[in-house]
Amino acid sequence: MNNNNEKKYIRSHEPVFWGLFGAGGTLTAFMTPVMILITGILVPIGLFGEGKFNYQQIHQFATSWYGAAIILILVALPLWHTFHRIFHGLHDLGVKQGRDWQQVICYGSAFAVTIFVLTLLLQMIAA
Amino acid sequence: MANKTIKIEILRYRPEQEDKPSPQLFEVPYSPDLTILEALQYIKDHLDSTISFRWSCRMAICGSCGLMVDGVPKLGCKTFLRDYFPNKIKLEALANFPIERDLVVVMDDFINKLEEIKPYIIPEDNTKCLSDGPHQQTPEKLAKYKQYSMCINCGLCYAACPQYALDTKFTGPAALALLARYNRDSRDAGSKQRMKIVNQEEGVWGCTFVGYCSVVCPKGVDPAAAIQLLKVESSKDYLIGMFKPD
């Protein structure tokens, strides 16, 4: 057939986003239900961590290096997961217009919030 | 003596006499051991000899008789009337492929994709001489690819794949599973050539892991798993490519 001109293969950059998607998805699946259970149900009805979830304690955690790192990961990765899913969901729904812009808006939002949270945490640590 | 019958509605398309496909209803004698394929043969022999469908082996080996049964991709020879009786059965040509005639589809795109992935063992250069005897494989090496070698190219997974439905540029489940089969074979040295196909947007990255391909596969190949494993390989390849572009 027309094998005369060798087909050009273009490498996709999807592994980067798929990696963040996978990591975020794993976190969401394992951590979110636990966090909702603790902070949304057990703490408010007083079954867990009595007196340990006050402002001072949480602030102390957030301004420690390891605490800040954990919070950043817990916020950023699920966000990358979500926006990746939305980006591909739009394709699945047949929204064909402006795929470039969809990509910029989706991953741009995830990137922006990641940087925002990072800056916020660094400011808190520095303060 | 009650002669039971079952209604079968077939989506017919005869390009020389109609612009678009239209359904035609048949009524065939019912028996619990009859397959859809046998019902089609009954229709062709006794009711309407103009009906077109592909078949050959009658035992889920040749992969010819793929069709949509009530909207689900199935092999006609492996699907029994008893699982639908007494309801009417709706038969259509395999989804996501152009219809050539009645239940016969044009499979060219799928065949081209199978060819593209180089579905054969590519030996290393300076390969050993024939007189050195056969390539030995341990059961572990065999187990790495055996499952993916069971594909019969029936195309059910392409009919099931929503991504292929949206964009036929996607390499698709069976071709990628077969690609995995050769890349995972210890006797093969063609991974580098095939990874170029895998790494593209139309390669594994066109897949969003819906998994329906593996559900409909009549041979338990699990193409979805093959593709997800290839995504991991592609990600490794991406990292290596960042430091060592070729």
Side-chain angles (χ1 to χ4, degrees), chain B residues 4-7 30-31 80-89:
Chain B
K4 288 184 199 162
T5 60
I6 184 164
K7 285 191 175 71
Y30 169 78
S31 147
F80 288 86
L81 298 182
R82 61 172 177 261
D83 294 325
Y84 299 87
F85 186 80
N87 299 324
K88 183 176 85 178
I89 304 175

